[in-house]
Protein backbone atom coordinates (compact mmCIF):
# COMPACT_ATOMS: atom_id res chain seq x y z
CA UNK A 1 0.00 0.00 0.00
CA UNK A 2 1.40 3.37 -0.97
CA UNK A 3 1.54 5.81 1.91
CA UNK A 4 -0.45 8.97 1.21
CA UNK A 5 -0.34 11.71 3.81
CA UNK A 6 -1.51 15.29 3.80
CA UNK A 7 -1.04 18.67 5.38
CA UNK A 8 -4.45 20.31 5.55
CA UNK A 9 -4.10 23.87 6.81
CA UNK A 10 -6.93 26.36 7.04
CA UNK A 11 -5.74 29.65 5.57
CA UNK A 12 -6.85 31.69 8.56
CA UNK A 13 -3.41 32.89 9.65
CA UNK A 14 0.26 32.90 8.77
CA UNK A 15 2.18 29.65 8.87
CA UNK A 16 3.58 29.05 12.33
CA UNK A 17 5.93 26.57 13.94
CA UNK A 18 3.21 24.08 14.87
CA UNK A 19 1.88 23.91 11.32
CA UNK A 20 5.34 23.57 9.85
CA UNK A 21 6.07 20.74 12.28
CA UNK A 22 2.92 18.91 11.15
CA UNK A 23 3.76 19.49 7.49
CA UNK A 24 7.37 18.42 7.95
CA UNK A 25 6.52 15.20 9.77
CA UNK A 26 4.04 14.28 7.06
CA UNK A 27 6.58 15.12 4.39
CA UNK A 28 9.32 13.10 6.08
CA UNK A 29 6.98 10.19 6.60
CA UNK A 30 6.08 10.19 2.91
CA UNK A 31 9.70 10.41 1.85
CA UNK A 32 10.91 7.74 4.25
CA UNK A 33 8.28 5.31 2.97
CA UNK A 34 8.34 6.23 -0.71
CA UNK A 35 4.83 7.65 -0.39
CA UNK A 36 3.13 10.87 -1.39
CA UNK A 37 2.75 14.13 0.50
CA UNK A 38 -0.32 16.16 -0.34
CA UNK A 39 -1.32 19.73 0.42
CA UNK A 40 -5.01 20.39 0.82
CA UNK A 41 -6.39 23.83 1.58
CA UNK A 42 -9.23 23.63 4.07
CA UNK A 43 -10.80 26.96 3.31
CA UNK A 44 -14.37 26.21 4.36
CA UNK A 45 -14.34 28.84 7.09
CA UNK A 46 -14.83 31.79 4.78
CA UNK A 47 -15.18 34.32 7.58
CA UNK A 48 -11.59 33.86 8.70
CA UNK A 49 -10.16 33.21 5.26
CA UNK A 50 -7.78 35.69 3.63
CA UNK A 51 -5.95 35.41 0.35
CA UNK A 52 -2.74 36.68 1.93
CA UNK A 53 -2.57 33.59 4.13
CA UNK A 54 -2.55 31.38 1.07
CA UNK A 55 0.30 33.47 -0.32
CA UNK A 56 2.09 33.15 2.98
CA UNK A 57 1.67 29.38 2.86
CA UNK A 58 3.32 29.04 -0.54
CA UNK A 59 6.07 31.53 0.33
CA UNK A 60 6.85 29.76 3.55
CA UNK A 61 7.31 26.34 2.04
CA UNK A 62 9.24 27.63 -0.95
CA UNK A 63 11.59 29.30 1.49
CA UNK A 64 11.82 26.25 3.75
CA UNK A 65 12.63 24.15 0.73
CA UNK A 66 10.37 21.14 1.07
CA UNK A 67 7.29 20.75 -1.02
CA UNK A 68 4.25 18.60 -1.66
CA UNK A 69 3.80 16.05 -4.44
CA UNK A 70 0.19 17.04 -5.04
CA UNK A 71 -1.49 20.31 -4.20
CA UNK A 72 -3.54 23.26 -5.39
CA UNK A 73 -0.65 24.95 -7.15
CA UNK A 74 0.80 21.88 -8.85
CA UNK A 75 -2.28 19.70 -9.30
CA UNK A 76 -2.42 15.92 -9.06
CA UNK A 77 -4.75 12.97 -9.57
CA UNK A 78 -7.04 13.72 -6.60
CA UNK A 79 -7.72 17.39 -7.21
CA UNK A 80 -9.02 19.95 -6.83
CA UNK A 81 -7.03 20.37 -3.61
CA UNK A 82 -8.97 23.39 -2.40
CA UNK A 83 -12.08 22.56 -0.43
CA UNK A 84 -14.05 25.55 -1.67
CA UNK A 85 -13.84 23.95 -5.13
CA UNK A 86 -15.32 20.70 -3.87
CA UNK A 87 -18.58 21.86 -2.34
CA UNK A 88 -20.77 19.76 -4.64
CA UNK A 89 -19.05 16.65 -3.44
CA UNK A 90 -19.68 17.47 0.24
CA UNK A 91 -23.39 18.13 -0.38
CA UNK A 92 -23.75 14.91 -2.25
CA UNK A 93 -21.94 12.97 0.47
CA UNK A 94 -24.01 14.50 3.24
CA UNK A 95 -27.15 13.35 1.45
CA UNK A 96 -25.67 9.93 0.97
CA UNK A 97 -25.15 9.75 4.70
CA UNK A 98 -28.79 10.62 5.31
CA UNK A 99 -29.86 7.86 2.95
CA UNK A 100 -27.62 5.44 4.83
CA UNK A 101 -29.19 6.44 8.15
CA UNK A 102 -26.04 8.02 9.52
CA UNK A 103 -27.20 11.63 9.40
CA UNK A 104 -30.41 13.63 9.53
CA UNK A 105 -31.92 17.00 8.70
CA UNK A 106 -32.27 19.45 11.53
CA UNK A 107 -34.68 22.36 11.16
CA UNK A 108 -33.95 24.14 14.42
CA UNK A 109 -33.61 27.84 13.84
CA UNK A 110 -31.14 30.11 15.58
CA UNK A 111 -33.84 31.27 17.95
CA UNK A 112 -34.60 27.79 19.22
CA UNK A 113 -30.90 26.91 19.55
CA UNK A 114 -30.24 30.11 21.47
CA UNK A 115 -33.03 29.29 23.94
CA UNK A 116 -31.70 25.77 24.29
CA UNK A 117 -28.20 27.07 25.02
CA UNK A 118 -29.51 29.61 27.52
CA UNK A 119 -31.42 26.90 29.38
CA UNK A 120 -28.28 24.75 29.44
CA UNK A 121 -26.21 27.63 30.72
CA UNK A 122 -28.69 28.19 33.56
CA UNK A 123 -28.26 24.57 34.47
CA UNK A 124 -31.93 23.70 33.93
CA UNK A 125 -30.82 20.62 32.06
CA UNK A 126 -27.99 18.13 32.31
CA UNK A 127 -27.52 18.09 28.58
CA UNK A 128 -24.74 19.95 26.83
CA UNK A 129 -24.75 20.78 23.15
CA UNK A 130 -27.46 20.08 20.65
CA UNK A 131 -30.48 18.36 22.26
CA UNK A 132 -31.17 16.08 19.25
CA UNK A 133 -34.58 17.66 18.83
CA UNK A 134 -34.83 16.69 15.14
CA UNK A 135 -33.15 13.31 15.30
CA UNK A 136 -36.39 11.36 15.22
CA UNK A 137 -38.30 13.23 12.59
CA UNK A 138 -39.41 10.52 10.14
CA UNK A 139 -37.20 10.56 7.05
CA UNK A 140 -40.08 11.06 4.63
CA UNK A 141 -41.40 14.03 6.60
CA UNK A 142 -37.96 15.62 6.77
CA UNK A 143 -37.45 15.11 3.05
CA UNK A 144 -40.78 16.74 2.31
CA UNK A 145 -39.95 19.75 4.48
CA UNK A 146 -36.62 20.20 2.70
CA UNK A 147 -38.34 19.83 -0.67
CA UNK A 148 -40.79 22.56 0.28
CA UNK A 149 -37.87 24.91 0.84
CA UNK A 150 -37.52 24.83 4.60
CA UNK A 151 -34.03 25.67 5.83
CA UNK A 152 -32.11 22.78 7.33
CA UNK A 153 -28.66 21.69 8.37
CA UNK A 154 -27.46 18.11 8.22
CA UNK A 155 -26.23 16.55 11.43
CA UNK A 156 -24.23 13.40 12.10
CA UNK A 157 -25.98 10.75 14.19
CA UNK A 158 -23.67 9.94 17.06
CA UNK A 159 -24.72 6.55 18.49
CA UNK A 160 -26.51 7.05 21.80
CA UNK A 161 -24.85 4.15 23.51
CA UNK A 162 -21.65 2.19 23.41
CA UNK A 163 -18.28 3.57 22.55
CA UNK A 164 -16.02 4.26 19.64
CA UNK A 165 -12.62 2.64 19.65
CA UNK A 166 -9.68 3.37 17.41
CA UNK A 167 -5.98 2.93 17.36
CA UNK A 168 -3.55 5.81 17.32
CA UNK A 169 -0.09 4.95 16.05
CA UNK A 170 1.44 7.03 18.78
CA UNK A 171 -1.07 7.03 21.63
CA UNK A 172 -2.16 3.43 21.24
CA UNK A 173 -5.70 2.10 21.67
CA UNK A 174 -8.24 4.77 22.46
CA UNK A 175 -11.83 4.26 23.45
CA UNK A 176 -14.30 7.08 23.65
CA UNK A 177 -17.74 6.70 25.17
CA UNK A 178 -20.27 7.84 22.60
CA UNK A 179 -22.11 9.82 25.23
CA UNK A 180 -18.95 11.93 25.55
CA UNK A 181 -18.81 12.69 21.84
CA UNK A 182 -20.29 16.05 20.91
CA UNK A 183 -23.99 15.36 20.26
CA UNK A 184 -24.71 15.28 16.59
CA UNK A 185 -22.36 17.82 15.07
CA UNK A 186 -23.39 19.74 11.99
CA UNK A 187 -21.91 18.37 8.78
CA UNK A 188 -23.57 20.66 6.27
CA UNK A 189 -24.76 24.16 7.09
CA UNK A 190 -28.03 25.55 5.82
CA UNK A 191 -26.19 27.62 3.21
CA UNK A 192 -24.76 24.40 1.79
CA UNK A 193 -21.29 24.95 3.22
CA UNK A 194 -19.67 21.91 4.80
CA UNK A 195 -18.12 21.99 8.25
CA UNK A 196 -14.54 20.96 8.86
CA UNK A 197 -15.59 17.45 9.93
CA UNK A 198 -17.48 16.55 6.78
CA UNK A 199 -15.03 18.08 4.33
CA UNK A 200 -12.04 16.62 6.14
CA UNK A 201 -13.37 13.06 6.23
CA UNK A 202 -14.76 13.05 2.71
CA UNK A 203 -11.52 14.41 1.30
CA UNK A 204 -9.27 12.11 3.25
CA UNK A 205 -11.28 9.25 1.81
CA UNK A 206 -11.45 10.51 -1.77
CA UNK A 207 -7.79 11.49 -1.75
CA UNK A 208 -6.95 7.98 -0.50
CA UNK A 209 -5.12 9.29 2.55
CA UNK A 210 -3.61 6.34 4.41
CA UNK A 211 -2.34 8.12 7.53
CA UNK A 212 -3.68 11.20 9.26
CA UNK A 213 -0.83 12.78 11.13
CA UNK A 214 -1.92 15.95 12.85
CA UNK A 215 -1.60 17.98 16.02
CA UNK A 216 -2.93 16.47 19.21
CA UNK A 217 -5.51 19.21 19.63
CA UNK A 218 -7.52 17.40 16.93
CA UNK A 219 -7.81 14.22 18.98
CA UNK A 220 -11.35 15.05 20.22
CA UNK A 221 -12.50 15.12 16.60
CA UNK A 222 -11.22 11.63 15.98
CA UNK A 223 -14.18 9.65 17.45
CA UNK A 224 -16.59 11.80 15.48
CA UNK A 225 -14.62 11.12 12.32
CA UNK A 226 -14.48 7.39 13.02
CA UNK A 227 -18.24 7.33 13.45
CA UNK A 228 -18.56 9.07 10.11
CA UNK A 229 -16.25 6.61 8.35
CA UNK A 230 -18.32 3.77 9.73
CA UNK A 231 -21.56 5.41 8.60
CA UNK A 232 -20.18 5.80 5.09
CA UNK A 233 -18.97 2.22 5.16
CA UNK A 234 -15.41 3.39 4.50
CA UNK A 235 -12.20 2.12 5.96
CA UNK A 236 -10.68 4.95 8.01
CA UNK A 237 -7.06 6.03 7.62
CA UNK A 238 -4.61 5.27 10.41
CA UNK A 239 -4.35 8.04 12.96
CA UNK A 240 -1.28 9.56 14.52
CA UNK A 241 -1.73 12.56 16.79
CA UNK A 242 1.51 14.44 17.27
CA UNK A 243 2.68 15.67 20.67
CA UNK A 244 1.98 19.27 21.62
CA UNK A 245 4.62 21.95 21.24
CA UNK A 246 5.04 23.90 24.48
CA UNK A 247 7.08 26.89 25.57
CA UNK A 248 9.70 26.56 28.32
CA UNK A 249 7.03 27.35 30.93
CA UNK A 250 4.92 24.36 29.94
CA UNK A 251 2.19 26.36 28.26
CA UNK A 252 1.22 25.89 24.65
CA UNK A 253 3.74 27.70 22.46
CA UNK A 254 2.45 31.18 21.68
CA UNK A 255 3.48 34.75 20.98
CA UNK A 256 4.30 35.19 24.63
CA UNK A 257 7.27 32.88 24.25
CA UNK A 258 8.76 34.63 21.23
CA UNK A 259 8.53 34.34 17.48
CA UNK A 260 6.10 31.67 16.33
CA UNK A 261 5.29 32.54 12.73
CA UNK A 262 7.82 31.46 10.15
CA UNK A 263 7.85 35.00 8.77
CA UNK A 264 9.19 36.31 12.04
CA UNK A 265 11.99 33.75 12.10
CA UNK A 266 12.82 34.56 8.53
CA UNK A 267 12.97 38.29 9.21
CA UNK A 268 15.17 37.73 12.23
CA UNK A 269 17.68 35.97 10.04
CA UNK A 270 17.20 32.29 10.70
CA UNK A 271 18.25 29.92 7.97
CA UNK A 272 15.64 27.51 6.65
CA UNK A 273 18.05 24.62 7.25
CA UNK A 274 18.24 25.51 10.93
CA UNK A 275 14.50 25.83 11.30
CA UNK A 276 13.88 22.52 9.55
CA UNK A 277 16.54 20.74 11.53
CA UNK A 278 15.18 22.06 14.80
CA UNK A 279 11.51 21.57 14.01
CA UNK A 280 12.22 18.01 12.88
CA UNK A 281 13.35 17.37 16.45
CA UNK A 282 10.20 18.72 18.09
CA UNK A 283 8.95 15.43 19.43
CA UNK A 284 11.00 13.09 17.30
CA UNK A 285 14.52 11.71 17.36
CA UNK A 286 16.73 10.39 14.60
CA UNK A 287 20.23 9.07 15.10
CA UNK A 288 21.68 9.23 18.59
CA UNK A 289 24.68 11.41 19.23
CA UNK A 290 24.17 13.62 16.26
CA UNK A 291 22.59 17.06 15.94
CA UNK A 292 22.94 18.24 12.38
CA UNK A 293 20.79 16.55 9.80
CA UNK A 294 20.45 17.79 6.26
CA UNK A 295 16.90 17.37 4.96
CA UNK A 296 18.02 14.47 2.77
CA UNK A 297 19.14 12.56 5.88
CA UNK A 298 15.92 13.29 7.75
CA UNK A 299 14.02 11.93 4.76
CA UNK A 300 15.80 8.63 5.15
CA UNK A 301 15.85 8.40 8.93
CA UNK A 302 12.33 9.44 9.91
CA UNK A 303 10.38 6.69 11.72
CA UNK A 304 6.96 6.98 13.30
CA UNK A 305 8.27 4.75 16.09
CA UNK A 306 10.72 7.47 17.06
CA UNK A 307 8.04 10.09 17.73
CA UNK A 308 7.64 10.86 21.43
CA UNK A 309 4.41 10.83 23.32
CA UNK A 310 5.55 13.55 25.67
CA UNK A 311 5.04 17.17 24.64
CA UNK A 312 7.95 18.86 22.92
CA UNK A 313 9.46 21.96 24.49
CA UNK A 314 10.43 24.71 22.12
CA UNK A 315 13.91 25.89 23.04
CA UNK A 316 14.83 29.14 21.33
CA UNK A 317 18.45 28.83 22.42
CA UNK A 318 18.82 25.45 20.80
CA UNK A 319 17.36 26.82 17.60
CA UNK A 320 19.83 29.69 17.78
CA UNK A 321 22.63 27.19 18.15
CA UNK A 322 21.46 25.37 15.03
CA UNK A 323 21.39 28.65 13.20
CA UNK A 324 24.98 29.42 14.11
CA UNK A 325 26.01 25.96 12.95
CA UNK A 326 24.43 26.40 9.54
CA UNK A 327 25.79 29.91 9.13
CA UNK A 328 29.25 28.45 9.74
CA UNK A 329 28.77 25.96 6.93
CA UNK A 330 28.20 28.66 4.32
CA UNK A 331 30.85 29.77 1.85
CA UNK A 332 31.74 33.47 1.69
CA UNK A 333 29.61 33.91 -1.38
CA UNK A 334 26.61 32.04 0.03
CA UNK A 335 26.76 33.91 3.31
CA UNK A 336 27.12 37.22 1.53
CA UNK A 337 24.03 36.44 -0.55
CA UNK A 338 22.15 35.58 2.63
CA UNK A 339 23.04 38.70 4.59
CA UNK A 340 22.59 41.02 1.61
CA UNK A 341 18.79 41.40 1.95
CA UNK A 342 19.24 42.29 5.62
CA UNK A 343 21.92 44.84 4.77
CA UNK A 344 19.74 46.31 2.04
CA UNK A 345 16.78 46.52 4.35
CA UNK A 346 18.81 48.34 6.96
CA UNK A 347 19.43 51.18 4.52
CA UNK A 348 23.21 50.91 4.90
CA UNK A 349 23.83 51.13 1.20
CA UNK A 350 22.38 54.59 0.76
CA UNK A 351 25.17 56.46 -0.99
CA UNK A 352 27.55 53.49 -1.01
CA UNK A 353 28.89 52.31 -4.36
CA UNK A 354 27.54 48.96 -5.63
CA UNK A 355 30.03 46.47 -7.06
CA UNK A 356 32.98 47.56 -4.92
CA UNK A 357 30.91 47.14 -1.78
CA UNK A 358 29.88 43.63 -2.77
CA UNK A 359 33.51 42.56 -3.18
CA UNK A 360 34.41 44.14 0.12
CA UNK A 361 31.53 42.43 1.91
CA UNK A 362 32.27 39.03 0.51
CA UNK A 363 35.85 39.43 1.70
CA UNK A 364 34.49 40.38 5.13
CA UNK A 365 32.51 37.17 5.59
CA UNK A 366 35.38 35.26 7.25
CA UNK A 367 35.45 38.01 9.88
CA UNK A 368 31.85 37.54 10.95
CA UNK A 369 31.02 33.93 10.17
CA UNK A 370 31.83 32.73 13.69
CA UNK A 371 30.05 35.64 15.34
CA UNK A 372 26.78 35.78 13.50
CA UNK A 373 23.92 34.14 15.34
CA UNK A 374 21.28 35.57 13.02
CA UNK A 375 21.57 37.02 9.56
CA UNK A 376 19.80 40.08 10.87
CA UNK A 377 22.84 40.80 13.08
CA UNK A 378 24.85 41.53 9.96
CA UNK A 379 24.01 45.23 9.52
CA UNK A 380 25.13 46.10 13.03
CA UNK A 381 28.25 44.00 12.64
CA UNK A 382 29.30 45.10 9.17
CA UNK A 383 27.97 48.62 8.89
CA UNK A 384 31.39 50.23 9.46
CA UNK A 385 32.69 48.62 6.27
CA UNK A 386 30.01 50.26 4.17
CA UNK A 387 29.34 53.60 5.81
CA UNK A 388 31.46 55.87 7.94
CA UNK A 389 30.54 54.84 11.47
CA UNK A 390 29.18 57.56 13.71
CA UNK A 391 32.06 58.84 15.81
CA UNK A 392 31.85 57.43 19.30
CA UNK A 393 31.67 59.71 22.37
CA UNK A 394 35.12 60.48 23.90
CA UNK A 395 34.68 58.10 26.84
CA UNK A 396 34.54 55.12 24.51
CA UNK A 397 38.13 55.70 23.37
CA UNK A 398 39.69 55.61 26.80
CA UNK A 399 41.06 52.26 27.97
CA UNK A 400 40.52 51.28 31.57
CA UNK A 401 42.80 53.12 34.05
CA UNK A 402 43.93 55.61 31.37
CA UNK A 403 42.78 59.14 30.65
CA UNK A 404 41.86 61.08 27.54
CA UNK A 405 45.37 62.46 27.01
CA UNK A 406 46.87 58.99 27.15
CA UNK A 407 44.22 57.61 24.82
CA UNK A 408 44.97 60.40 22.37
CA UNK A 409 48.66 59.57 22.55
CA UNK A 410 47.87 55.93 21.78
CA UNK A 411 45.82 56.95 18.80
CA UNK A 412 48.62 59.20 17.53
CA UNK A 413 51.09 56.38 17.88
CA UNK A 414 48.79 54.02 16.00
CA UNK A 415 48.28 56.59 13.25
CA UNK A 416 52.03 56.99 12.89
CA UNK A 417 52.64 53.26 12.81
CA UNK A 418 49.91 52.23 10.39
CA UNK A 419 51.58 53.53 7.20
CA UNK A 420 54.63 51.44 8.09
CA UNK A 421 52.57 48.24 8.29
CA UNK A 422 51.73 45.89 5.50
CA UNK A 423 48.03 45.47 6.27
CA UNK A 424 47.91 42.47 3.96
CA UNK A 425 50.15 40.64 6.45
CA UNK A 426 48.21 40.65 9.69
CA UNK A 427 50.74 38.70 11.85
CA UNK A 428 53.55 41.05 10.84
CA UNK A 429 51.42 44.13 11.54
CA UNK A 430 50.52 42.73 14.94
CA UNK A 431 54.20 42.27 15.77
CA UNK A 432 54.85 45.92 14.92
CA UNK A 433 52.00 47.06 17.15
CA UNK A 434 53.18 44.83 19.96
CA UNK A 435 56.67 46.30 19.98
CA UNK A 436 55.22 49.81 19.70
CA UNK A 437 53.12 49.12 22.79
CA UNK A 438 56.23 47.93 24.63
CA UNK A 439 58.09 51.04 23.60
CA UNK A 440 55.26 53.15 24.99
CA UNK A 441 55.15 51.14 28.20
CA UNK A 442 51.53 50.26 27.47
CA UNK A 443 49.55 47.09 27.04
CA UNK A 444 48.83 46.04 23.49
CA UNK A 445 45.12 46.26 24.30
CA UNK A 446 45.51 49.87 25.38
CA UNK A 447 47.11 50.72 22.07
CA UNK A 448 44.47 48.89 20.07
CA UNK A 449 41.29 49.97 21.86
CA UNK A 450 41.22 53.62 20.75
CA UNK A 451 42.22 52.47 17.28
CA UNK A 452 39.38 49.95 17.15
CA UNK A 453 36.81 52.50 18.29
CA UNK A 454 38.13 54.99 15.74
CA UNK A 455 38.08 52.55 12.84
CA UNK A 456 34.95 50.50 13.57
CA UNK A 457 32.98 52.92 15.73
CA UNK A 458 32.71 50.40 18.54
CA UNK A 459 34.66 48.60 21.24
CA UNK A 460 33.30 45.29 20.04
CA UNK A 461 33.89 44.56 16.41
CA UNK A 462 35.10 41.94 13.98
CA UNK A 463 38.89 41.44 14.00
CA UNK A 464 40.61 44.81 13.82
CA UNK A 465 43.59 44.22 11.55
CA UNK A 466 41.56 42.31 9.01
CA UNK A 467 39.00 45.12 9.08
CA UNK A 468 41.70 47.71 8.49
CA UNK A 469 43.05 45.64 5.62
CA UNK A 470 39.60 45.66 4.03
CA UNK A 471 39.10 49.38 4.56
CA UNK A 472 42.54 50.38 3.34
CA UNK A 473 45.03 52.75 4.90
CA UNK A 474 43.48 55.98 3.64
CA UNK A 475 40.01 55.37 5.13
CA UNK A 476 41.53 54.19 8.40
CA UNK A 477 43.65 57.33 8.75
CA UNK A 478 40.65 59.51 7.97
CA UNK A 479 38.65 57.84 10.72
CA UNK A 480 41.54 58.17 13.15
CA UNK A 481 41.79 61.87 12.37
CA UNK A 482 38.09 62.32 13.01
CA UNK A 483 38.31 60.45 16.29
CA UNK A 484 41.34 62.45 17.26
CA UNK A 485 39.35 65.63 16.85
CA UNK A 486 36.72 64.30 19.25
CA UNK A 487 39.32 63.32 21.82
CA UNK A 488 40.85 66.80 21.78
N1 LIG B 1 -7.89 22.21 8.73
C1 LIG B 1 -7.39 21.59 9.93
C2 LIG B 1 -6.32 22.49 10.49
O1 LIG B 1 -6.39 23.66 10.31
C3 LIG B 1 -6.91 20.22 9.63
C4 LIG B 1 -6.81 19.30 10.80
C5 LIG B 1 -6.52 17.90 10.31
O2 LIG B 1 -5.35 17.70 9.92
O3 LIG B 1 -7.41 17.09 10.28
O4 LIG B 1 -5.35 22.09 11.10
ZN1 LIG C 1 -33.02 20.40 15.10
Amino acid sequence: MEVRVRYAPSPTGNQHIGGVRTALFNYLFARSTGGKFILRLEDTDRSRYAEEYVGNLYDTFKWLGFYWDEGPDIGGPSGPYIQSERFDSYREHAKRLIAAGGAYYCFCDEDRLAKMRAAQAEGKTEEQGYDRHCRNIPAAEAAARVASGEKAVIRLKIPLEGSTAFHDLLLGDIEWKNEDVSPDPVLLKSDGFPTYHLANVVDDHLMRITHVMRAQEWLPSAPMHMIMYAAFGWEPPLLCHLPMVLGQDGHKLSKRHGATSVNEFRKAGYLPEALINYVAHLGCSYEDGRDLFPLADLEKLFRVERINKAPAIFDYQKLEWYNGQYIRQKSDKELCDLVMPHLLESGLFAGADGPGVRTLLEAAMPLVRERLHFLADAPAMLGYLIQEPPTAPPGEFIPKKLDAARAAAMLDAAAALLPKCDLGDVPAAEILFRSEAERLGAKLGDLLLPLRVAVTGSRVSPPLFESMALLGLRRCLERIARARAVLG
Side-chain angles (χ1 to χ4, degrees):
M1 175 193 63
E2 185 195 45
V3 164
R4 287 175 64 79
V5 289
R6 75 337 186 247
Y7 175 48
S10 301
T12 54
N14 285 331
Q15 290 298 301
H16 57 89
I17 285 297
V20 168
R21 200 270 306 255
T22 301
L24 181 61
F25 278 29
N26 277 287
Y27 169 84
L28 294 176
F29 184 45
R31 284 291 165 277
S32 67
T33 52
K36 291 279 187 303
F37 172 52
I38 292 144
L39 175 76
R40 180 173 74 226
L41 281 187
E42 302 211 324
D43 60 342
T44 53
D45 181 355
R46 301 309 288 184
S47 61
R48 289 166 62 218
Y49 170 92
E51 190 66 42
E52 63 173 289
Y53 299 137
V54 180
N56 173 266
L57 173 82
Y58 294 140
D59 279 356
T60 298
F61 286 94
K62 273 181 193 134
W63 178 71
L64 284 171
F66 68 96
Y67 225 65
W68 32 91
D69 305 303
E70 300 171 25
D73 53 339
I74 55 173
S78 302
Y81 295 90
I82 302 185
Q83 291 192 323
S84 56
E85 295 174 14
R86 303 171 65 88
F87 279 3
D88 290 345
S89 165
Y90 308 133
R91 270 173 226 143
E92 190 226 313
H93 278 90
K95 283 183 193 145
R96 239 202 255 178
L97 217 47
I98 290 189
Y104 61 94
Y105 287 111
C106 159
F107 302 93
C108 298
D109 56 15
E110 215 12 78
D111 192 40
R112 178 173 184 277
L113 292 175
K115 282 190 188 121
M116 176 198 82
R117 279 192 288 265
Q120 285 175 356
E122 278 169 38
K124 285 187 191 146
T125 152
E126 286 275 281
E127 275 179 316
Q128 287 302 319
Y130 180 58
D131 59 5
R132 296 179 157 130
H133 180 72
C134 302
R135 183 165 165 135
N136 297 316
I137 299 176
E141 183 191 325
R145 285 170 72 176
V146 170
S148 75
E150 195 172 339
K151 267 187 139 185
V153 303
I154 295 178
R155 289 183 184 272
L156 178 66
K157 254 187 208 172
I158 302 293
L160 301 177
E161 281 156 8
S163 58
T164 298
F166 55 93
H167 182 78
D168 185 284
L169 288 180
L170 186 62
L171 306 173
D173 287 325
I174 294 181
E175 197 170 333
W176 214 286
K177 278 198 205 137
N178 288 334
E179 63 189 53
D180 293 335
V181 179
S182 164
D184 301 3
V186 173
L187 299 180
L188 199 73
K189 299 183 218 169
S190 58
D191 57 8
F193 276 47
T195 59
Y196 154 71
H197 302 295
L198 176 66
N200 188 268
V201 163
V202 167
D203 284 350
D204 280 346
H205 176 73
L206 295 180
M207 295 181 180
R208 294 176 292 114
I209 299 301
T210 56
H211 297 73
V212 166
M213 207 183 256
R214 63 183 169 199
Q216 217 160 90
E217 67 204 59
W218 296 99
L219 188 61
S221 297
M224 214 181 279
H225 294 184
M226 291 300 127
I227 290 166
M228 219 188 303
Y229 280 105
F232 274 120
W234 294 340
E235 192 189 328
L238 294 168
L239 301 180
C240 179
H241 288 91
L242 300 173
M244 304 263 286
V245 181
L246 309 178
Q248 300 271 8
D249 58 359
H251 291 286
K252 193 175 176 219
L253 189 69
S254 74
K255 288 237 167 302
R256 286 184 302 118
H257 299 104
T260 53
S261 83
V262 177
N263 260 352
E264 291 172 275
F265 286 106
R266 189 174 170 180
K267 278 209 195 91
Y270 284 87
L271 298 185
E273 297 94 317
L275 215 54
I276 286 186
N277 207 320
Y278 184 63
V279 169
H281 283 82
L282 284 176
C284 193
S285 60
Y286 300 83
E287 245 165 43
D288 297 333
R290 183 178 161 197
D291 279 309
L292 297 182
F293 295 86
L295 186 59
D297 289 8
L298 295 171
E299 290 175 13
K300 285 191 209 95
L301 295 169
F302 183 86
R303 296 286 174 274
V304 171
E305 300 78 52
R306 301 203 71 162
I307 303 178
N308 302 323
K309 277 188 207 177
I313 309 287
F314 197 91
D315 180 349
Y316 285 88
Q317 268 166 357
K318 187 75 201 258
L319 173 58
E320 184 177 327
W321 178 85
Y322 273 110
N323 210 46
Q325 297 298 312
Y326 280 101
I327 285 177
R328 249 136 269 173
Q329 290 183 5
K330 298 291 175 192
S331 71
D332 292 348
K333 177 172 182 318
E334 288 166 338
L335 190 55
C336 198
D337 287 342
L338 287 165
V339 298
M340 204 49 104
H342 295 272
L343 295 172
L344 281 170
E345 177 142 323
S346 72
L348 271 173
F349 287 108
D353 81 285
V357 172
R358 166 77 208 203
T359 314
L360 175 75
L361 282 173
E362 204 167 304
M365 289 303 117
L367 277 53
V368 296
R369 186 179 280 109
E370 296 291 325
R371 294 153 189 265
L372 272 179
H373 295 277
F374 308 105
L375 300 175
D377 294 342
M381 234 177 246
L382 291 165
Y384 71 99
L385 291 174
I386 306 166
Q387 295 281 352
E388 292 306 303
T391 310
E396 282 298 291
F397 291 90
I398 306 173
K400 229 195 253 155
K401 296 196 198 140
L402 302 191
D403 56 19
R406 187 82 171 133
M410 294 290 155
L411 208 47
D412 289 339
L417 188 55
L418 267 185
K420 296 181 199 142
C421 298
D422 172 7
L423 282 175
D425 184 350
V426 170
E430 270 174 358
I431 290 172
L432 280 183
F433 270 81
R434 200 174 289 279
S435 56
E436 178 68 4
E438 258 165 48
R439 200 182 61 79
L440 294 169
K443 287 191 248 159
L444 178 63
D446 293 347
L447 179 58
L448 294 185
L449 181 112
L451 179 61
R452 183 188 296 276
V453 177
V455 171
T456 70
S458 167
R459 287 177 167 223
V460 223
S461 77
L464 176 59
F465 284 96
E466 284 83 349
S467 299
M468 292 194 297
L470 288 175
L471 285 165
L473 181 62
R474 186 181 51 83
R475 285 178 88 183
C476 292
L477 291 178
E478 280 166 14
R479 291 182 186 188
I480 294 171
R482 229 175 307 126
R484 194 60 189 73
V486 171
L487 263 177

